[in-house]
Amino acid sequence: GEDVEQSLFLSVREGDSSVINCTYTDSSSTYLYWYKQEPGAGLQLLTYIFSNMDMKQDQRLTVLLNKKDKHLSLRIADTQTGDSAIYFCAEPSGGSYIPTFGRGTSLIVHP
Amino acid sequence: DVKVTQSSRYLVKRTGEKVFLECVQDMDHENMFWYRQDPGLGLRLIYFSYDVKMKEKGDIPEGYSVSREKKERFSLILESASTNQTSMYLCASSPRTGVEQYFGPGTRLTVT
């Protein structure tokens, strides 16, 4: 079965880089994604990466994929207080369109 | 812009009551989903639907049922609410083979 693991909390200082890590189990996943949940809101797709890529960069966000270790990371450069949220790693379940979500990492940004 | 709306942001119900949570999406998506979110447990899929009148059980369907009479609307029903159903309920929709799910703002249900 599929399982997505991520740590529950990360605390960083404003201006520093944040790195949120995730491990997954389904090596056949064609893509993996990161969702962001701001306080009091639903989830919103932040970015995704196809499995044939090692890295994807989008402004302050960098996604790294290590297929050999089934490890996915999200790096946020110059972290701001507005980045405080819960970040969910997700992969499609068994090749379907339904994602399996990790438990979410709460990113806390302090001054 | 895709919009997914949920009928209530906050709801307080008593044990044993029948509870209806409504979700509406305006992008003609085939797939709709109900999740519950609890601290430390992440999102758990309750039910999903890939077409009108079609439904599939997710990981935790016990104590819940769903209804999809129209494409844009997906209802979650708690036949007899219990305190362990106190949670945040999130609705989502997606195109038939879409990567991205679009989420509503959530309904925080408290059962007393």
Side-chain angles (χ1 to χ4, degrees):
Chain A
E2 297 81 23
D3 203 9
V4 178
E5 299 285 342
Q6 48 183 134
S7 54
L8 292 183
F9 298 98
L10 177 66
S11 179
V12 299
R13 188 169 297 176
E14 191 174 12
D16 287 352
S17 291
S18 308
V19 180
I20 302 171
N21 294 303
C22 167
T23 57
Y24 61 97
T25 56
D26 188 352
S27 58
S28 67
S29 292
T30 54
Y31 41 81
L32 296 115
Y33 19 19
W34 287 102
Y35 279 82
K36 178 183 180 182
Q37 184 182 31
E38 295 184 352
L43 280 70
Q44 190 169 15
L45 184 67
L46 190 61
T47 187
Y48 65 93
I49 186 168
F50 287 103
S51 60
N52 60 0
M53 299 169 67
D54 297 324
M55 184 180 87
K56 179 180 179 181
Q57 188 149 5
D58 183 4
Q59 299 182 342
R60 293 189 298 121
L61 304 178
T62 303
V63 179
L64 295 176
L65 175 60
N66 181 331
K67 285 194 72 177
K68 177 175 166 290
D69 296 336
K70 298 194 187 77
H71 184 267
L72 183 73
S73 68
L74 173 70
R75 179 178 181 270
I76 305 173
D78 187 25
T79 312
Q80 303 298 308
T81 54
D83 295 323
S84 293
I86 304 175
Y87 292 82
F88 292 89
C89 173
E91 65 168 347
S93 300
S96 78
Y97 51 82
I98 302 171
T100 297
F101 289 92
R103 297 186 178 191
T105 299
S106 289
L107 175 64
I108 300 158
V109 183
H110 54 89
Chain B
D1 241 11
V2 177
K3 199 165 184 184
V4 180
T5 56
Q6 296 183 229
S7 49
S8 307
R9 292 301 303 271
Y10 301 94
L11 211 51
V12 179
K13 295 291 181 180
R14 293 200 181 276
T15 301
E17 279 192 82
K18 191 169 185 175
V19 182
F20 292 87
L21 302 183
E22 303 283 337
C23 175
V24 177
Q25 50 95 4
D26 66 358
M27 280 303 289
D28 202 36
H29 285 167
E30 286 78 15
N31 305 325
M32 295 189 75
F33 308 82
W34 275 107
Y35 295 90
R36 64 176 282 176
Q37 182 180 14
D38 300 288
L41 296 178
L43 271 68
R44 291 181 290 169
L45 182 64
I46 305 172
Y47 267 97
F48 65 98
S49 167
Y50 53 89
D51 206 345
V52 175
K53 297 193 186 297
M54 307 302 286
K55 60 184 179 184
E56 295 284 343
K57 293 180 180 179
D59 300 318
I60 52 163
E62 296 77 19
Y64 303 93
S65 62
V66 290
S67 172
R68 189 152 180 217
E69 296 296 318
K70 292 185 178 181
K71 190 175 186 180
E72 67 271 17
R73 189 179 297 270
F74 193 34
S75 303
L76 180 69
I77 303 150
L78 287 66
E79 294 289 341
S80 177
S82 62
T83 54
N84 63 12
Q85 292 178 310
T86 290
S87 186
M88 170 71 87
Y89 290 87
L90 292 167
C91 175
S93 72
S94 70
R96 187 173 299 286
T97 56
V99 172
E100 181 175 359
Q101 286 191 329
Y102 297 83
F103 282 81
T107 296
R108 186 166 292 283
L109 173 67
T110 302
V111 183
T112 61

